[in-house]
Every structure is written in structure tokens, then in C-alpha cells.
Amino acid sequence: MLITCIRELAAQIFVFKNWAKANPMLSPPEAAGLTQSEVTERQQQGQVNLVEKFTTRTAPGILRNNIVTVFNGILTASVVALLTVGANSDAVFLSMVTLANMLVGVISEFRAKWALDRLALLQRHVVTVRRDGHDQEILSDEVVKDDLVRLTPGDQVVADGMLASSALVVMDESLLTGEAAAVEKRAGDAVLSGSYCVSGAGYYVATRVGAASSVNTLTAQAKAYKIQLTPTQKSINTLIKTLTAILILFVALLLMAAYIKSLPVKETILSLVTVIKALVPEGLVLISTLAFAMGALRAARRHVLVQKLGAVESLGHLTVLCLDKTGTLGTNRLQFEVLVPFALSHDELARYLELFLGAVSVQNQTTEAIASAFPSLASSVIDELPFSTEHKTSAVRVEFNGEEVSLWLGAPEAMAEDRLTAAQAAQLTDFRQRGLRVMLFARSAQVLSQRDDLLLLGFVVLRDELRQDVDSAIRFYETRDVTLKILSGDNPDTVSAVARQAGITLHGSTISGPELAALAPDAFAKAVHEGQFFGRLIPQQKQQIVKCLQESGDFVGMVGDGVNDVLALKQADIGVAMNSGAAAARDVSDIVLLKDSFAHLPALSQEGDRIIHSIKRIMQLFLTKNVYSLLFVGFVGFVGLRFPLSPRDITWIDVLTIGIPATVLTLLAPAVGKQSTQNFLREPLKFALLAGLCTAFFSLLVYANFFLFQDRAEQYSRTAGVSVIVLMGLYVLFRLTSDERGPTASAAQRLAVWGLLISAPLLHGAAVYWPPLRDVLGMVSLDADSWITILAASGLGMVALHYLLQDAIRKRFLGM
């Protein structure tokens, strides 16, 4: 894939060169650019710089995923069946609650979508094009083929093109190659989308726009990868498949029993619908989706664009985090570190440096960094040698106070490094090992074409500027036992040095891409796991490293900003891009840090912890209902009685103890620690088995007491049994909300939880004694003696569950 792109690029450059020879351009001020009619013609032909991008979920997708589901289909069929046999009250109540669940999911996702769409607008870039003889500003996706696009320092190239100006332009292609060195471009040279103008100015002709550009070709190929589910989503899917299989089995058994017993059709349908309603976890998917949507919404408030529903939750599962160096750890800018004079005093050396800065006509990253520490000093400029990546030096000849002097600044290896003293050479080596960039400053009395009398004046030491808060983010992930690896296209020694500056703890080796390429598969895998800093990597190697880590069982995140990171970003379980980076990297990533702030990444991981924590609790609530419902089915089959709950009873229990509480808990954001994701289903299943067992035993005890031993009506016995389930369900909720009731919780969180715990018994009391609600739910009023039995059974159930859970916790910690 990469080889194909390189071949296409080579062919493109060849075409550019021939085009330049056959079509000499007028200077930009004289060139009129395209006319409006030519622009319209190209728009009609689809030759526009518009590419389908990864965005938030579409409105039809949200509606489809929340409405057109297997469980909603089952419940709809149940409603139709109830209406067919005349059980209108059960049908209406079931349909209303099902609709309410769907609305919660739809509204929450739309709310998150609107917030994320507003953030997505921030990514739209404005460029200047020359049309009809004058410059005008348009959006980058409105550029058409053959547009004449203005290029000034700091501008990003938005489409593949050819430089049309005769003036020298220096480009930063680090987002494409990973190399930090700037590249000179002249008229007829190719400029590639994703590169930046460092110095110089001019125009370029957009020759390949939209999906035809080399960068978007690479992006399109990366988009072909299958989007993987998060571990939590996989666990939910496994649980749903299991419950669906159990449901099908029990429905078949109930149908057989009804046939053998010759039960009436209405009674059979009521029993089937009740079991279906008890076992179908229709709210589990909706509330889980709500948790993902709320995570995306909270991320949006931090100016983070989430482009995949489960992306924030995925950050809670990280075991390895891969980072690009150029533009990711660093800002791709330089900072002045220190001035080291050789023979002159510091002030004398600074004066010469100020003269040099005042004479340089074209600024670059190096001169800008130096200028931040030293003001420029005006002089009469006689001659200038602009910086060139070929000779890695720049020079000026100036007249100052009646004296002519040539001043040189460049890489030590290009400026007589062999003339350094032993002490100076050792100092240079030390600077390089620390990851600092060293420039050698010198003077000469000769003209710029000669420098035989070059006098070395000192070192100008610069440092790669690290992104804000990168050190705190690194400490955060290291304390979470997340392995950090640096994947870069830059020099391996530079990669290692910058990583040390960022505060990464050393634990592995430094390896180059060519070294990896020479390894056999087994040796490659070993090198990937033992290595920590990887340099001189091509895009394919970054992808291979991520894939190798995944194959060993790691959950891998990738943070990058360049086109050379695209394949790795898409291969990773979670891809994070910097907003200031290449559009291609943003398009294929799952998360975009719009403020380029590493401080947001740990916060997102903590949000992922909260999502995992919320989904665990949601699963505990739903699975508890499934467990006691299965035990009820077994009780019915063993004793030969009717199912002790009606569809309305199940729905009412869901509303009070599962649906509303799960929704409220998802909206809250308690402070939780790192969540264990090993054997994700084990903890909810263990809790649900104990809670469901206690709930089933004591509610059936009460039901049997009234129905069999006190000869009460079935409806009375059912009301008593439902009351026990509600009270037990509230105790389960109490156990699961310790974070929201704890000392670190906010007043709003405590108020929300206690509001649930207090309002639910009051609502159930209204369902038992208020005629309108009582008639809708099919309950009856209970006498005082019955409440004593109900409260006693519920209390015993709570005590039993408390001790069972304590025992389970003890066994877990003792390894028994």
C-alpha cells in the first residue's frame, strides 16, 4: 500500500516537472487564477477537495440503533400478542415503558451528537485562493482542481499541488515522513497535502484534490479496516447472546408445558410475555449506549471530539500506549536553551548573534527560537546565504560600525566540527545525548563565498518544545501500569532523548526501523516487546508494531498527528490524533484532541473508568432480575403454579429498581479508580447470582405464604411478592451506590441517590393504595399484618445478601 503511494507520488513529481517546463507560470500577482465559470465547471465534475470524513453518528443511525433492535422486535410482538388476547392494560403499559426506554437512548445520543457536531465545525480550515484576478478566502473543502492557492509561513497544504512561484519556499514534511528537517521547494516542485510552509511565500496549483490526493488515498485505505468493538461492548454482546439462547429455550419449554396441560391461549400468552419481559435485557443495550454517549458529551466539554461511540470507554482498557514523537510529544517547535561562548564573553557573543538575527531575511524555526531570547540588531546587510537543507548552514555579511563581518550559523558537522577542542567536542556529545539541538556560530572576515578563516565563536543550544502537561500525562499512565512506547520516523537517538526529556521512565531498548526490517518474525516480536523507543520507522512498520502488540493480548492505543501515523492510528484499538496535525490523521482517529492538550488524555481515561464502572453496575442490576426470573420459572415448573408475576409487575419492578436508577447513575460522574477489565463479566455475574438468589427465595416465600397457606387471592399474593422484590431491589441499589453516597461524592450525587432510594418506596406505596395507579398496575391494597410479613422477609433477605456478599469478597481476596 505504501509502495503504491510512493510510486504514485514519484509519477506525480515527474508530471509536475514536465508541466513546469511546458507551462511557465506568470508570477502570482499577475496570474488571475481560475474564473468563476471554471470553478463552477470543476464543481459540477466533482473535482473538489471534499472527502467523506469520519464524523459522529448520523441521525438515521441513532434512530436505527435505538429502535430497530432484536429486543424491541420481541417486545413489539409481545404487545401485539397481548392485544390479540384482550390483555389491553398489560399491552399498553409494556409499550409505554418500552417507548420511554427508546426515547432515553435517542435523546441522549442526539444530545451528544449535537455537541460533537459543533466541535467538528472547529476543524474546518480557511485558505486563500486566487480567482478572477484577486485573492479570496474559502473553506479548504471548497478548493477545486487547478485552483491557485496562497502559501505563507504556517499554512498547511490542503491538496497535492505544484509550486508556481519562483521564490524559495521551505516546507515541513514531518507529518508525512516523521523527519523534523525542513525541505526546500522551488517552482515546479511538488507540495503535498499535510505539509506546512516554514518560510517563504508563494502560490501552488492544486493538481490532485479530494480523494485523488496521495494523503487521502492512504486515508481511504486505512478506513477499510473493520471497526472493532470495545471489550465492554464484546462482553455485553456475549451476555445478550447467552440470555437470548436461554430465553428461546424457556419459551420452547413453556409452550410444551402449555400444550401438555391444555392451558387457555390467553393464559399461555400472558405467561410467555411475562417470561420474555423478565429475561429480555432491552434496557441494558440502551443504558450502555447512554453511558457511551454521556462519555462523549463530557469529552466534548473538554474540547475533545469523539468519533467512535465507545472510544472514551476504550481508554480505560489500555495496557500499551504508543506515541509519535514529532508533533505529539513535542509541538514541532524549538526553544532556546543556552548560549555557550568559546573565547568571547557571553555579551560579545550575544551581540554578534543579534547582528545575525537582524540581517536574516527569511525566518525559520531556529531563528525564531533564538529571537525569543535575543533581540535583533539592525545593520547594513551586504550579502546573505539563505539556509539550505543541503549545506545545513546560513550566513550573512553585514557592515556594522564601519566594519564588515560574515556571520555563520549551522550544524556542527557542516561547520568544521573537527576543529573543536576535546572539551568542546565532549560538551557537544553531552548536549546531543540529552536530546538538545546544537548549532555552531562563527565569524569570518571573508566574503560568503569563502570561509577559510572561520573563527568558531560558540554553541547555540536549542530544545524541542514539549507539549504542555505531557510530563503529568506520562506519570499518570505509568502509575496505571500502562507501557509507553515511542514510534517515530525521526532519528532513534533523538527519539530516545526527547522521550527522556518528557519524563518517560526507561525500561527498554532503542531500535531503528532498518534494524527491525532485517529481523525474522519471532525476533521482530521479541524486539517489539523489549523495545521502548523506535526511530526511522516507515508507516507500515508503525502498523506492524501495533498489530504485534495486539496479537500478544495487549489493548493498544496510538497517539499521532501525521500522515505517517495513519495506518497505526487505524490499526490500534484506540487512535488519538492532535487537531493541529494532518487532516488524514484526524479523519481515521477515534478521538481528536482539539486543543492539542495531553492533560485531556488522562481525564478521558478516568472518564473511561467511570463508564466501565457504570456499565458494571448496570449489568449487576439487570442480571439480578434475570437470575430471580429464571428461578421463578423453575419454581413454576416444580410446584405447578402460575408465574408469580404479570407483565405489568415486571415492568413496574424495572421502572423502580432498574430503569430509572440505571439512567440516573449513568448521568452521574462519581470519582472512581482504575477499573479492572480482566474477566469483565465475572464480578457482575457473581453479584447477580447472590442478589437474585436472595430476592427469589424471600419473595417466593412471601408469595407462597399468602397464596398457599393463607389462601389469599393470587392478585394479593402477587402484590406482596412484588413488594418484597422492590424492597430487595432498592437494597441492591443501595449497595451499588457507595461511590455516590461516599465522602468524595458531590451534594448533587448524594441527593440524586437518596432521592431514588426514598421516592421508590413512596411510588410503590401509591401503586398499592392509590386507586388510579393501582388499577393500572393490577395490584391490590395490603393490610398491616401483611406488611409486617413483607418487611420481615425483606429484612432477612437484606441481611442474608449482606453476609453472602461479605463472604464472596473474603473468598476473592484470600484466593479460596
Side-chain angles (χ1 to χ4, degrees):
M1 179 172 56
L2 182 64
I3 294 175
T4 301
C5 291
I6 293 174
R7 288 174 178 170
E8 291 180 357
L9 178 58
Q12 178 185 347
I13 294 174
F14 179 76
V15 172
F16 285 168
K17 296 287 187 180
N18 291 338
W19 190 95
K21 293 177 181 178
N23 302 275
M25 289 286 298
L26 296 173
S27 60
E30 299 171 344
L34 296 177
T35 64
Q36 188 56 49
S37 61
E38 291 173 329
V39 171
T40 303
E41 179 183 355
R42 284 161 175 77
Q43 289 173 339
Q44 292 173 347
Q45 294 173 352
Q47 297 176 335
V48 185
N49 197 42
L50 183 63
V51 182
E52 182 181 357
K53 300 180 182 294
F54 279 95
T55 58
T56 55
R57 301 174 77 186
T58 62
I62 291 175
L63 293 174
R64 181 173 59 254
N65 289 327
N66 284 278
I67 296 175
V68 186
T69 67
V70 174
F71 291 142
N72 284 342
I74 293 173
L75 293 175
T76 301
S78 300
V79 170
V80 172
L82 290 172
L83 291 172
T84 302
V85 297
N88 297 333
S89 298
D90 286 312
V92 171
F93 203 76
L94 178 60
S95 60
M96 288 177 61
V97 174
T98 303
L99 180 61
N101 278 337
M102 288 189 291
L103 287 176
V104 168
V106 169
I107 292 172
S108 300
E109 283 206 66
F110 268 114
R111 183 186 174 195
K113 171 182 167 56
W114 292 328
L116 296 174
D117 283 348
R118 288 196 297 271
L119 282 183
L121 292 176
L122 299 177
Q123 294 194 80
R124 305 185 74 183
H125 296 276
V126 175
V127 298
T128 301
V129 297
R130 192 167 184 81
R131 291 176 179 175
D132 291 321
H134 63 275
D135 289 347
Q136 55 183 281
E137 290 187 344
I138 62 173
L139 294 174
S140 60
D141 54 14
E142 295 175 354
V143 172
V144 299
K145 188 176 183 295
D146 299 326
D147 249 331
L148 201 58
V149 186
R150 177 70 174 166
L151 190 63
T152 59
D155 288 346
Q156 185 178 33
V157 178
V158 298
D160 290 352
M162 181 198 67
L163 193 62
S165 307
S166 57
L168 175 69
V169 176
V170 179
M171 302 298 296
D172 178 357
E173 296 183 345
S174 59
L175 293 178
L176 305 173
T177 64
E179 290 280 2
V183 180
E184 294 179 353
K185 301 284 184 178
R186 294 175 174 80
D189 287 342
V191 289
L192 304 176
S193 54
S195 61
Y196 280 89
C197 177
V198 176
S199 63
Y203 289 79
Y204 65 92
V205 179
T207 58
R208 297 175 65 178
V209 296
S213 69
S214 55
V215 168
N216 285 322
T217 301
L218 182 64
T219 306
Q221 294 177 33
K223 288 180 182 180
Y225 285 99
K226 181 180 179 181
I227 297 178
Q228 298 179 343
L229 296 176
T230 70
T232 301
Q233 289 172 321
K234 291 178 181 177
S235 297
I236 292 174
N237 284 352
T238 299
L239 179 61
I240 289 173
K241 290 176 182 178
T242 303
L243 290 175
T244 303
I246 294 173
L247 175 63
I248 294 172
L249 175 63
F250 275 91
V251 167
L253 291 175
L254 287 173
L255 287 172
M256 290 173 60
Y259 176 76
I260 294 170
K261 295 179 181 179
S262 300
L263 295 178
V265 175
K266 182 175 182 179
E267 183 177 340
T268 301
I269 289 178
L270 282 171
S271 298
L272 288 174
V273 171
T274 303
V275 172
I276 289 171
K277 184 67 178 74
L279 294 180
V280 168
E282 81 283 359
L284 177 59
V285 177
L286 292 174
I287 300 299
S288 300
T289 301
L290 173 61
F292 293 140
M294 290 307 300
L297 183 59
R298 294 185 187 115
R301 293 169 183 162
R302 298 177 182 273
H303 295 278
V304 175
L305 178 61
V306 178
Q307 303 191 129
K308 188 174 75 173
L309 185 62
V312 177
E313 177 259 326
S314 292
L315 289 172
H317 297 277
L318 284 179
T319 59
V320 178
L321 181 60
C322 299
L323 303 165
D324 175 46
K325 179 193 75 69
T326 307
T328 302
L329 280 180
T331 61
N332 208 22
R333 294 191 298 269
L334 297 175
Q335 290 180 317
F336 175 78
E337 179 72 9
V338 68
L339 187 63
V340 182
F342 290 166
L344 303 177
S345 68
H346 184 279
D347 290 343
E348 289 175 319
L349 179 57
R351 183 181 180 85
Y352 278 120
L353 197 57
E354 291 166 2
L355 278 173
F356 176 84
L357 293 173
V360 173
S361 60
V362 179
Q363 299 292 324
N364 55 35
Q365 288 185 348
T366 300
T367 56
E368 288 174 355
I370 299 172
S372 66
F374 299 96
S376 60
L377 188 61
S379 63
S380 176
V381 181
I382 300 173
D383 195 7
E384 179 180 3
L385 178 66
F387 175 82
S388 168
T389 55
E390 182 178 352
H391 52 71
K392 297 182 180 180
T393 56
S394 59
V396 294
R397 185 166 182 80
V398 299
E399 181 181 355
F400 187 74
N401 291 338
E403 177 188 11
E404 288 189 9
V405 60
S406 296
L407 300 174
W408 291 78
L409 181 69
E413 62 269 20
M415 288 185 56
E417 182 178 349
D418 56 342
R419 291 171 52 188
L420 295 173
T421 66
Q424 292 166 352
Q427 195 172 27
L428 175 61
T429 301
D430 178 64
F431 283 140
R432 285 173 170 172
Q433 289 176 345
R434 289 160 52 192
L436 300 173
R437 300 196 184 192
V438 184
M439 306 295 289
L440 196 56
F441 192 53
R443 61 164 291 178
S444 169
Q446 296 176 326
V447 296
L448 296 185
S449 60
Q450 303 175 15
R451 55 175 187 176
D452 298 331
D453 64 339
L454 202 64
L455 176 64
L456 304 183
L457 301 179
F459 290 137
V460 181
V461 185
L462 306 174
R463 175 189 297 272
D464 284 290
E465 182 183 66
L466 296 176
R467 290 198 181 275
Q468 187 176 12
D469 298 322
V470 65
D471 54 343
S472 61
I474 286 170
R475 286 194 300 271
F476 172 83
Y477 283 110
E478 288 187 341
T479 58
R480 288 169 67 96
D481 294 325
V482 175
T483 302
L484 300 178
K485 294 181 182 290
I486 310 301
L487 313 183
S488 177
D490 211 341
N491 183 280
D493 293 332
T494 303
V495 172
S496 175
V498 171
R500 291 197 300 273
Q501 289 178 27
I504 293 180
T505 303
L506 302 181
H507 62 78
S509 57
T510 300
I511 308 173
S512 71
E515 291 173 335
L516 283 176
L519 297 178
D522 291 343
F524 179 90
K526 182 179 179 181
V528 166
H529 287 91
E530 293 180 352
Q532 185 178 13
F533 308 124
F534 299 84
R536 298 291 186 215
L537 297 178
I538 61 175
Q540 286 175 314
Q541 288 178 317
K542 290 188 178 186
Q543 179 194 15
Q544 289 170 350
I545 290 173
V546 171
K547 187 175 181 180
C548 181
L549 292 168
Q550 290 173 322
E551 289 173 348
S552 66
D554 282 309
F555 194 88
V556 185
M558 174 70 194
V559 184
D561 69 335
V563 175
N564 61 332
D565 299 319
V566 165
L567 295 179
L569 283 168
K570 195 59 189 170
Q571 176 68 47
D573 296 294
I574 177 73
V576 181
M578 297 291 173
N579 189 48
S580 61
R586 297 194 300 269
D587 288 348
V588 302
S589 65
D590 305 307
I591 291 175
V592 180
L593 302 177
L594 296 180
K595 295 293 186 180
D596 291 343
S597 174
F598 259 101
H600 291 157
L601 206 56
L604 288 179
S605 291
Q606 292 173 327
E607 186 62 45
D609 290 333
R610 281 191 284 268
I611 293 174
I612 295 170
H613 179 65
S614 293
I615 292 177
K616 278 184 180 179
R617 293 189 299 177
I618 293 167
M619 293 174 74
Q620 287 170 325
L621 290 174
F622 278 96
L623 285 174
T624 297
K625 183 192 76 167
N626 295 139
V627 169
Y628 67 66
S629 299
L630 288 172
L631 293 173
F632 286 168
V633 174
F635 171 79
V636 170
F638 182 76
V639 178
L641 297 177
R642 291 181 57 184
F643 198 82
L645 300 173
S646 70
R648 279 177 286 177
D649 295 334
I650 291 289
T651 304
W652 181 241
I653 293 169
D654 279 353
V655 170
L656 291 184
T657 66
I658 300 176
I660 294 177
T663 303
V664 172
L665 292 181
T666 302
L667 297 177
L668 301 178
V672 298
K674 187 179 187 308
Q675 297 296 296
S676 173
T677 56
Q678 296 292 329
N679 301 314
F680 185 75
L681 286 175
R682 181 181 297 175
E683 183 180 341
L685 281 172
K686 185 185 298 182
F687 180 93
L689 285 172
L690 297 176
L693 177 63
C694 291
T695 302
F697 179 80
F698 287 98
S699 61
L700 285 173
L701 189 64
V702 169
Y703 175 81
N705 172 63
F706 286 114
F707 189 67
L708 296 177
F709 304 115
Q710 295 190 23
D711 200 23
R712 296 292 188 111
E714 182 185 0
Q715 197 172 13
Y716 191 97
S717 303
R718 223 174 44 236
T719 302
V722 169
S723 300
V724 174
I725 295 173
V726 169
L727 293 174
M728 287 292 295
L730 293 176
Y731 177 71
V732 168
L733 181 62
F734 178 83
R735 295 277 312 197
L736 295 177
T737 54
S738 57
D739 292 314
E740 287 82 358
R741 294 181 289 101
T744 60
S746 65
Q749 290 171 344
R750 287 193 289 269
L751 180 63
V753 171
W754 283 111
L756 288 173
L757 295 173
I758 293 171
S759 61
L762 297 177
L763 286 171
H764 184 64
V768 174
Y769 293 107
W770 187 40
L773 184 56
R774 183 182 63 203
D775 294 340
V776 169
L777 293 174
M779 295 187 182
V780 296
S781 299
L782 304 175
D783 57 37
D785 292 339
S786 298
W787 276 111
I788 293 175
T789 303
I790 292 168
L791 292 175
S794 300
L796 288 172
M798 294 174 190
V799 171
L801 180 56
H802 173 78
Y803 281 103
L804 282 172
L805 289 174
Q806 293 297 107
D807 187 53
I809 293 173
R810 180 180 63 81
K811 287 183 178 180
R812 179 181 177 185
F813 280 98
L814 292 179
M816 297 172 58

